[in-house]
Amino acid sequence: MFLPVLTCLAVLSDLASQRHVFLGGHVGFDSLPDQLVSKSVTQGFCFNILCVGETGIGKSTLMNTLFNTLFEAEEASHYQNGVYLRPRTYDLKESNVQLKLTIVDTVGFGDQINKEESFKPIVDYIDTQFETYLQEEMKIKRSLFDYHDTRIHICLYFIAPTGHSLKSLDLVTMKKLDSKVNIIPIIAKADTISKSELHKFKIKIMSELVSNGVQIHQFPTEDDAVTEINSSMNAHLPFAVVGSVEEVKVGNKMVKARLYPWGTVQVENESHCDFVKLREMLLRVNMEDLREQTHARHYELYRRCKLEELGFTDTDPDNKPFSLQETYEAKRKEFLGDLQHKEDDMRQMFVNKVKETEAELKEKERELHERFEQLKRMHQEEKRNLEEKRSDLEEEMNAFNRRKVAAETLMGQSLQASSQSFRKDKKK
């Protein structure tokens, strides 16, 4: 009786002793990170930046300064009828790392008198990129390995350096975008206001964002390697930046700067602006985190809402595991039922239309027949009147002819009598 129990215990003891296996030498799976790095470098990376701001606020200049190159860009006018987005993709290479960079500019943003719907084209563009990725993901034969991901990874929202407060357009637009994209607010052309005003302006901006419930991107602090730098950089938001592609000689070296009559503003001087902080956070430290946040947070939220709209759930009404095949069959039956119902409605509508048309045609035919009979009666009446007039005219013509003959006879008799009397008188 106790023998099976002892046997089970012995087996469990053997299993427990087999769980801890020590390697006798080097195997090699510790090279997995190196393999991932090599594969990623071979495949290349993509990064998509959305620049939102008014025309002339310095979006293109900052992008040129940020990537230390001159991108092709057309100057936009202030007379656009609406807001449209202009994406441009560039292939960059630094060392042996290739980057497919897409910069999306909001042309005409804030230039219209009625700015109520200025955010809508931006939201539609972001949703369109999510929808395109979702459609590719749901294909039977997918090609996500070499798929050009156009989802927006970061939105740089350019704030005009007024020194007072955010505009209503800024608050409304950021509120509409914060659940769809990582937003980093930046104060453009920060060299136009003093340091004291800039500090107060930053505090005012963050206070208004918090009071209006706008969620801007916070750099992650979970990783010990970047906790310290990201925590300090979160305290510097929004970044006050200055962009310039011109090099000015300061001391014994050439630096990117803006030259004014009163002095020089160096772009990479942290005491002048926060450009270096923005470049560090955006490109060197948190680029991969921004890509991951876009996929894991914003795209997943869009995907979940989209699938819920289509009726998909993780569990059925009985809290049983979700079956895609059963849901597909149910949706297919529901769709076919709706299609059949619509077909029946269309057929019934067609029959009703045919009946209505036949009734209208019969009514038109009756009216035409009545009209024809009426015209026929009128024609017969006119014909009878003409016959009567014709008979009257013929009688008048006959009477006229009789009178004419009588007149001619009378005239002939009178002429004859006159000639006879004339001859008699001549003889006498």
Side-chain angles (χ1 to χ4, degrees), residues 21-33:
V21 179
F22 299 96
L23 299 177
H26 181 72
V27 174
F29 59 78
D30 59 349
S31 65
L32 272 174

Side-chain angles (χ1 to χ4, degrees), residues 184-375:
I184 295 181
I186 58 177
I187 302 173
K189 297 182 178 180
D191 54 336
T192 59
I193 54 178
S194 64
K195 281 192 173 182
S196 60
E197 291 176 341
L198 183 60
H199 180 68
K200 294 177 182 179
F201 191 34
K202 284 188 175 184
I203 297 175
K204 182 70 173 177
I205 290 174
M206 294 304 296
S207 174
E208 290 184 348
L209 292 177
V210 172
S211 61
N212 287 276
V214 178
Q215 299 293 327
I216 64 173
H217 180 70
Q218 294 290 318
F219 300 113
T221 57
E222 293 81 10
D223 188 356
D224 294 338
V226 295
T227 298
E228 183 177 354
I229 184 172
N230 281 351
S231 298
S232 63
M233 291 303 171
N234 285 332
H236 282 85
L237 290 175
F239 294 129
V241 298
V242 176
S244 176
V245 293
E246 299 179 1
E247 292 191 349
V248 178
K249 188 174 183 180
V250 177
N252 295 326
K253 61 180 181 178
M254 301 296 292
V255 296
K256 287 185 173 59
R258 299 186 71 88
L259 186 62
Y260 294 98
W262 44 264
T264 304
V265 177
Q266 300 179 31
V267 172
E268 297 182 349
N269 190 333
E270 294 191 45
S271 62
H272 291 182
C273 68
D274 297 331
F275 173 80
V276 174
K277 296 183 178 65
L278 175 64
R279 185 177 60 187
E280 290 288 301
M281 291 296 97
L282 192 62
L283 304 181
R284 191 179 71 84
V285 181
N286 295 297
M287 178 182 283
E288 183 58 30
D289 177 73
L290 292 169
R291 287 156 42 90
E292 181 182 350
Q293 284 289 322
T294 299
H295 181 81
R297 179 185 171 192
H298 301 295
Y299 170 70
E300 285 298 322
L301 177 61
Y302 176 85
R303 177 179 174 274
R304 185 186 72 188
C305 295
K306 197 70 175 179
L307 293 179
E308 287 177 352
E309 288 179 4
L310 297 175
F312 293 97
T313 56
D314 291 333
T315 57
D316 59 12
D318 299 330
N319 290 327
K320 293 182 179 180
F322 165 75
S323 173
L324 181 61
Q325 181 65 26
E326 293 177 0
T327 303
Y328 170 75
E329 291 295 335
K331 286 293 177 183
R332 185 172 182 274
K333 290 180 180 179
E334 182 181 353
F335 174 74
L336 292 177
D338 293 341
L339 188 62
Q340 184 64 36
H341 181 68
K342 290 180 180 179
E343 185 178 352
D344 295 339
D345 291 344
M346 291 293 291
R347 185 178 290 107
Q348 185 63 35
M349 186 184 300
F350 177 74
V351 171
N352 294 336
K353 287 290 184 182
V354 170
K355 290 181 179 180
E356 291 177 1
T357 305
E358 288 180 351
E360 291 177 359
L361 290 175
K362 288 181 179 179
E363 182 67 20
K364 293 291 184 182
E365 184 179 2
R366 186 185 61 79
E367 292 178 358
L368 287 173
H369 185 70
E370 292 179 354
R371 180 65 176 168
F372 175 74
E373 292 295 332
Q374 183 180 0
L375 291 175

Side-chain angles (χ1 to χ4, degrees), residues 379-392:
H379 176 70
Q380 292 176 352
E381 183 69 23
E382 290 179 357
K383 184 177 181 181
R384 187 167 54 252
N385 294 334
L386 288 174
E387 291 294 336
E388 291 177 356
K389 290 181 179 179
R390 180 180 178 183
S391 61
D392 293 341

Side-chain angles (χ1 to χ4, degrees), residues 20-78:
H20 303 285
V21 179
F22 299 96
L23 299 177
H26 181 72
V27 174
F29 59 78
D30 59 349
S31 65
L32 272 174
D34 298 331
Q35 296 176 32
L36 290 175
V37 169
S38 177
K39 186 175 180 180
S40 299
V41 170
T42 303
Q43 183 181 357
F45 302 88
C46 69
F47 193 61
N48 306 319
I49 302 176
L50 172 64
C51 298
V52 181
E54 300 175 358
T55 305
I57 204 169
K59 302 186 292 294
S60 300
T61 303
L62 182 64
M63 290 297 102
N64 293 336
T65 311
L66 198 61
F67 291 94
N68 195 25
T69 187
L70 290 176
F71 297 116
E72 298 178 0
E74 299 177 1
E75 292 187 2
S77 66
H78 290 272

